[in-house]
Amino acid sequence: MKPNPNIVHLPVYQPGKSTDEVKRELGLKEVIKLASNENPFGSSPAVREALLGRFGETHIYPDGASVELAAALSQHLNVEPNQIIFGAGSDEVVLMTARAYIEPGDETVMATPTFPQYKHNVEVENAKVIEVPLRDGTHDLEEMVRRIGERTKILWICNPNNPTGTMNTHEELVRALEQIPEHVLVVLDEAYVEYNTSAEYPDSLSLLKTYPNLLILRTFSKIYGLAALPIGYGIASAEVIHTINQVREPFNTSRFAQAAALAALGDQAFIADCRAKNREGMIYLEEQFKALGLSWYPSVANFIMVDTERPAKEMFEALLRQGIIVRGGHSLGMPTHLRVTIGSREQNEKFVSALKTALHEVAPAAGIGK
Ligand SMILES: *Cc1c(COP(=O)(O)O)cnc(C)c1O
């Protein structure tokens, strides 16, 4: 059997270590995972209620079109239900979008480093990936627009960018959209939008009417705390949503994910509380980094990328030995940075204390990073 040549070079996704694995391997009692940008406060209590009532429904297929959730979400976002498509996480919406629009030999423009799923899915479709380096940790939208050609199908914008947490402003985004030809689909990934507290962050929904080539991606995996029941969504013109729906599997999101998302959406007080606690945690970490003489990228997400000025892999391992799991920049082309999820107050304090120890253990890197 000969596999599709488009995929033979693709790596199999390597998940970060789980807390259980680290506990077992290192014989630790307590392990804190700040590596996947999960919500340290879980999800709304309403989610538990919604799920408990549904244990008798395991044999029934979900509503493929998620009609009830689409109705609630369309009200919440002030768009029409036919402007929304759900996926098993927004990862699946990325996959469906690539499958629906990309033909072999097409081109696609994205930043680097950014969220890896864009490149992964585009390569599966045998398109050419044009990567534009970040400028000060932020998408260089002007250069990205300049790299658009006749065969460009999709331009990907991760805002805030993962892994750097930085954002492009409303003004920057509009300036780019004004210059992007209509044959290019602009995928704007806003997985962390609910964490934003900056007035300059784009009001992307308000742009949908003016730019029919804009597709916004959001998810219930991050602030809504439903990463265990993946469900994410795309918002665009009815025409774009129809096209993506043509490649959607019939029952791609589960009954439980839909019910959990509906309950989670209804508890906006929980979301506001998580946003406020995240902001406090962010300020605390920035103060600590400053006191330690470290620099970081200004983040509007629930994670922050700090420059340890030491080899990231060694720092990662020094933190792991103390029961703290973070993401090392060494696999992301940022050899001295760590990406850390903002945790609960207690988790943040434990991380800072472990970071201080690690900074003593690991010698500063000469000649790398800066
Ligand atoms: C986490 C994340 C997603 C996807 O999450 P799902 O669980 O698939 O919904 C998408 N984009 C970015 C930038 C992310 O960080």
Side-chain angles (χ1 to χ4, degrees), residues 151-167:
R151 292 222 62 176
T152 306
K153 271 287 172 64
I154 302 180
L155 184 138
W156 307 84
I157 303 174
C158 188
N159 201 39
N161 187 45
N162 186 356
T164 48
T166 52
M167 70 156 183

Side-chain angles (χ1 to χ4, degrees), residues 303-324:
F303 57 88
I304 186 164
M305 201 154 204
V306 59
D307 186 357
T308 66
E309 298 171 13
R310 286 155 179 78
K313 190 158 181 287
E314 289 177 43
M315 286 298 290
F316 167 82
E317 282 160 4
L319 287 166
L320 196 64
R321 286 194 294 272
Q322 301 175 75
I324 309 272

Side-chain angles (χ1 to χ4, degrees), residues 65-67 69-71 73-87 93 97 101 185 204-218 232-245:
S66 314
V67 171
L69 180 58
L73 195 55
S74 77
Q75 283 220 332
H76 179 71
L77 302 172
N78 198 20
V79 298
E80 297 299 321
N82 65 4
Q83 290 184 266
I84 301 174
I85 184 167
F86 292 97
V93 187
T97 305
Y101 281 97
L185 181 70
S204 57
L205 293 169
S206 74
L207 301 171
L208 287 169
K209 281 214 170 72
T210 318
Y211 304 100
N213 56 336
L214 176 62
L215 168 64
I216 301 164
L217 304 185
R218 295 184 178 179
Y233 55 101
I235 319 154
S237 68
E239 195 188 325
V240 167
I241 295 303
H242 177 77
T243 300
I244 302 173
N245 253 320

Side-chain angles (χ1 to χ4, degrees), residues 36-37 87-94 114-118 157-163 189-192 217-222 226-233 302-303 339:
S36 302
N37 306 336
S90 49
D91 275 1
E92 198 200 11
V93 187
V94 170
T114 191
F115 190 56
Q117 290 309 305
Y118 317 140
I157 303 174
C158 188
N159 201 39
N161 187 45
N162 186 356
D189 186 346
E190 296 190 325
Y192 303 93
L217 304 185
R218 295 184 178 179
T219 180
F220 286 97
S221 297
K222 302 289 159 59
L226 299 182
L229 294 167
I231 185 162
Y233 55 101
N302 69 335
F303 57 88
R339 192 196 70 189

